[in-house]
Structures are given as C-alpha cells and as structure tokens.
Amino acid sequence: MKFNILRDHLLAGLNDVMKAVSSKTTIPILTGIKIDVTNEGMTLTGSDADITIQTFIPVEENGEQIINITQTGSIVLQARMFNEIVRKLPTNEVEIEITNGTATIIRSGKSEFHLIGSDATEYPQLPELAADRQFTIPTDLLKSIIRETVFAVATSESRPVLTGVNWKVDGDELICVATDSHRLARRKVNLENLPTDVTSVVIPGKSLNELNKILEDTNNPVQIVLTSQHVLFKTDDVLFFSRLLEGNYPDTSRLIPEEFKTMITINGKSLLQAIDRASLLAREDRNNVVRFETLENQTVEISSNSPEIGKVEEQIQVESLEGETLKISFSAKYMMEALKAIDGQDVVIEFTGAMRPFILRSVADDAILQLILPVRTY
Amino acid sequence: MKFNILRDHLLAGLNDVMKAVSSKTTIPILTGIKIDVTNEGMTLTGSDADITIQTFIPVEENGEQIINITQTGSIVLQARMFNEIVRKLPTNEVEIEITNGTATIIRSGKSEFHLIGSDATEYPQLPELAADRQFTIPTDLLKSIIRETVFAVATSESRPVLTGVNWKVDGDELICVATDSHRLARRKVNLENLPTDVTSVVIPGKSLNELNKILEDTNNPVQIVLTSQHVLFKTDDVLFFSRLLEGNYPDTSRLIPEEFKTMITINGKSLLQAIDRASLLAREDRNNVVRFETLENQTVEISSNSPEIGKVEEQIQVESLEGETLKISFSAKYMMEALKAIDGQDVVIEFTGAMRPFILRSVADDAILQLILPVRTY
C-alpha cells in the first residue's frame, strides 16, 4: 500500500469513524482504524463492536484530486495515535506507505512517523445487509425523531431492552417509542416503502445518540436497512451500522390514557423556564420534584422547597384551563426533557388526576406524545 | 436590607467573585457570597480563605440607574444557589429583601425565591492593607508576566514555597521567578515606585491563575499592594486579595549558566510544532522525552520513539548554529511550555553540554528567560 492524500479530507473522514472507536474495548484490534485503499479511493472503518462507522474518500471529487494511489492495500493503525498524528502534520500533503508487513510510514513535510500497524484481515467483517429492503428518511426529520425520543430510554441495565428505542412499522406509519418506565416519549411519522418483513426493532439509545452527532442538518435522504440483528443508516459519505437489542419490547400503547379530567394549554417555553427555576431548589434534596397546582383566573403555580435552603413559587398564565382543579407533583427533569422535545410551541397537557400518568403534546399536531408518571407528595 | 438591581450587572459581579468560592472549603460560611448594600452601592465578596475577591456595583454608572436602595444592610447567601437563581431569573429587574433575620426573598417577574441566608457578621474580615505602599502595572503587562512564569511552579506540595511565583524587587526592577526544580521561568520588568520595605514575596500559583482569568486585556493600570502576608491587586471594579506563601524562596540566580558551548537561533513556532508532533510518540511511554540533535548544514533533528508504537523523526532548518555538536534529551512538555511563554518569536537556545541545564530566550530581548534541565538518555 502506498498513496498520497490531502490531509483535510483524511481528517474529516477520521473525525466520523473515530466516533465509533472506544478506548474501553476488550477486542484489541478495535482500538485501531481499518484503512482500505482500492483504485476507487480510501475506506476508513471504526467500530466498538456495537456500532461500526465506515466512510469513503474518493480518489477525485468535484474535479479535485484528493488521493493519488501508487499501490492499493489494507492496514489497521492505532486509532487515537493515527488521528492525533494526522491532526498535527505540518503540511496538507500526506504520504502513507506500508514498507514491510505491517510497518507503516506517514510522511508530511520534513516529518516522518514510523508506526507498527496490525493485519487488516484480523479486523471483524461487517454484516452483509441486502440493499433491496431499504427505506429513506430526510436527515433533518431523522435527527428530530432521535431528539424527540432517545432521551427517555432507560439508563439502568436492569431491563436492557428499555435502553433502546423501539421502531415499529404499522402500515405506512413508523412509530418510535422510548420509555424508562417512569416516562415515555413517542413519535409517529408517515413514510413510504416501509419494510414489511422486519416490523419491530429496538435500536440502542447510545447508537442513536452517536448517529445524531454524525448526521448533518440537511434534508438529504438517509437510507435505512433493517434486519433482525442490525440496522444500517447510509448517507452519501458514511455507513453507520448498529447492532440491535434483543428481547421483546413491551406493548406501551395501553399505558397511554384516553380520557382526561384536567386539560391545560400553556406556552411551552414559559413553563420550561419556570420549572428550570423551581428545580434549582428541588435538586438540593436530590429528588428533583416540583409541585404544579391549578389556581383561579387561568393561572397555574409551580413551586418547590428544600427545608435547608428555602423555597420558590411562581405563577404562570395559561392559554386555557378546562376541567377539575389539580395538585400534582412530578420530576422536574422529566418535565423539562419532555418540553424540550416538543420544542417551544404551545403545549397541551392532559391530566387524569394527581396519581395517574399525564401526557403532553404540541397544540399543533399529534405526532409527538410525551407521558410522565407523577410523584406522590400531596 | 431591601433593594432593586439590574440582573445583568449583578450577574457580572457574581461572575467575578464566584471565582474565589470553592465547594471544597472546610469553613461553612465561605460557601456563601457576602452582600453589603450601602447608599453608594452593593459590594459582593467571595473567598476560599486563600483568595478573596471583592467587587463593587455602584448605584449609578454612566447616567444609568443600576441599583435602587430602599434599605441598606448585609447578608450571606449560599453562593452556587444564589448565582444559579440570578442566572435563571425571568426579567432584568431583581428585588432582594431581608424579611426576618436572615430570611431573604428574591423577586423577579412572577418568580419568588425564599432563601435562608447567614449572618454577615460571621463572614471573615478582609486584611487591612495600607494604600500608600502601592505600585502599578498595566493590566496586559501583568497578564504577560503571569503567563510567562506561572506554568513553571511546582504542582507537588513537597516544597510548598515552590508552588508560588517569587516576586523580588531589586531597585527599579521586579524579578518574577518560578521553578519546580526541573525547569525555571524568569521574567524581569522595570517599574516605577516599587516598594522598598517588602522586597520579596511568594504568590501562590493558583492565585495568579485565578487573577489572570479575571483581568481583562486592557492597558488600564492594576494597583498592587504588597505586605508581608498578603498581596492585593486592585482594578476599577475588583479587589483581589491573596495570602502569600511562607518560607524562604531559594536563590535561583546561581543555577543559570553564564557560559555556553552550543548556541542555536531557531524559529520558536516551528520548533514548538515539531516537538508537539514528536511528543505524540514520547507520551506513550509516559516519560514524554524527545531527542534533539545537531546535524550538518544548519539543521537539527527532533526525534522520539516508543518500542510498541513506532518512532518519529523530523529535521528543522535553524537560523544559526554555533559551537560544539550536541545530542540532548529533554521533556517535551517543559520545552513546549517554555516556547509558548516566549511566544512565536525566533528564540536563542544556549547549551553547555548534554547533561547541563540549557536556557531559552527571545532573540529580541532578555526580559524572559526559560531554563530546562535535560534528561539522561544518550
């Protein structure tokens, strides 16, 4: 293997695949980045066994020569070291050459790095995914779906399947649900060409968070392939593979109440900020619980107190307030995350009593639903 | 105590004094911020016992009414909580009122916080410093002096006096020296009205780092008062007190060699970047040692190797190279920090052999001197 490449392109590719590389891996070869050079260009692969990211740098792009190949080949180089070396090279011209077995030289300007690589054949193979079973989502919509659901996954491993987001196909509708059993986030979206063979998968929350970091805010389509064990997200430059979580995802539809006793329409941003302030004192006792009470005159009061520090009270005017009066307590953190997912619009909150789960949705549409279980304090 | 204040001014003041407040303090009252309101304005004080920062917000500034005082008074409020509350208040109008003993109410918009404060008389008194013994340094020069010396203080507490920077007055010259016994940084500066009674103090490195964060990049004068136990830095808005370190600072002048066998003039930035690259591999073995060797044709070579990872070599053209040939090894970290202190200019490096300390200075002037002890490897 011997080739020259422009450093900024190599760095951009490394930046993507490095997101999959973990220093905590127990598989030594996965501390490396695999480099494959063919006559078409260079493929970089990074993986932590759960997530695998692959990026391709073509020989030529938009008429610009990016790579000049003298000899094709493959090698695995220690990821963190290779990335740091490339970042600090003195010029934009980089030459990479395997001289003997896995001995690799990186040259740039008057710098010469000699690295001991690993045999590329030892690097794990990627799963083979049939490209005919794919559907597409615009990148910005996919990013929204992730942002609106993934925060609600369980962080504890006591029920591993709850650390992922359930993607379920129902006709032309993709239903994405996450829950940690104290709150639930659901996003529905209508899409074409949804798969009919694999109709319910659980994608690890960690994978979706990493994917979200890599995806740019465009409306270019992301191609998605679902199999029973893997999901592949494919953009122009990047292939993102994730292992799926095993186990049956619970049926959450019956958790969502259908009748309500108190219904409030309120500005989401005002409520978010008031709860943020109340949580300053709520946090001190570590339970992070705030109280919410309906008052006269289309007003609600948010309050919390900490016996040692003090208390806080705040009244907010609501857009509308229908049904029974209510005193309820809930986690400030859950409420703030739910409101952030609905994002600044007027929100509708529907309650069925102080000890029953309540739901939040945008006043504009039903696509996003957030459910929160209250905390008993009154 | 009862007054109204504009939130952005309060926040700016808090931002300064919070830098002195430590969550690790063993003195409970120092987890608080002291607020003193007089008819002239509001004084905020924060302290960790070693550093005390005080800032004053006047009732009126540039014709703008900042504070509206109904009743003067003093209170201590829990620092982190008070700061977060002020940051999150809904409007720029803040009312603070002591209602009963130390019970304090903070109002803004429709938010009302009730905090339990502490008695201001329990807060430690500031040292009394005579204002007639002060000298001044332009703020940007003071920041340079700190930057050029403080990195070289000892981080270990085995000789506590070395964790500070020695400021010594010699006639019209202030000589600032820091050393951790492996390297030394010295900055000399000519100033007027230097004190004649207190002529050598050791200022904790931590205090100088915090001071540097607070000082803005202007050429406004900073007034400095030295006593045998404290130093005070005084700007228009802020008083910064630091306790001094006790003990005699060693006489470092005899450590600095006066005769040299090899003398090199080299571009500081090129050398810094080459050493940064070489240190990538040097770091792996945790000793962080790079090799430096004079070659023919006005060239030096920087290299390092790590048996498991590989090696790196790089040649740099020097401006001039006089005297004996040389092979020497040193800490990449010390060299990089010394070069950063000299800051991008051509530097002169003077060596007295592979096992003797060597010095770096700017080609332009002698004000900054950096000394490094080599490491035995050849």
Side-chain angles (χ1 to χ4, degrees), chain B residues 126-141:
Chain B
L126 285 180
E128 301 265 339
L129 301 188
D132 58 331
R133 296 192 295 188
Q134 68 192 27
F135 63 103
T136 64
I137 304 186
T139 308
D140 43 9
L141 177 58

Side-chain angles (χ1 to χ4, degrees), chain B residues 76-91:
Chain B
V76 175
L77 295 178
Q78 211 279 321
R80 198 176 51 78
M81 180 62 69
F82 182 53
N83 186 46
E84 283 202 65
I85 288 172
V86 173
R87 232 162 20 96
K88 294 189 172 173
L89 289 176
T91 74

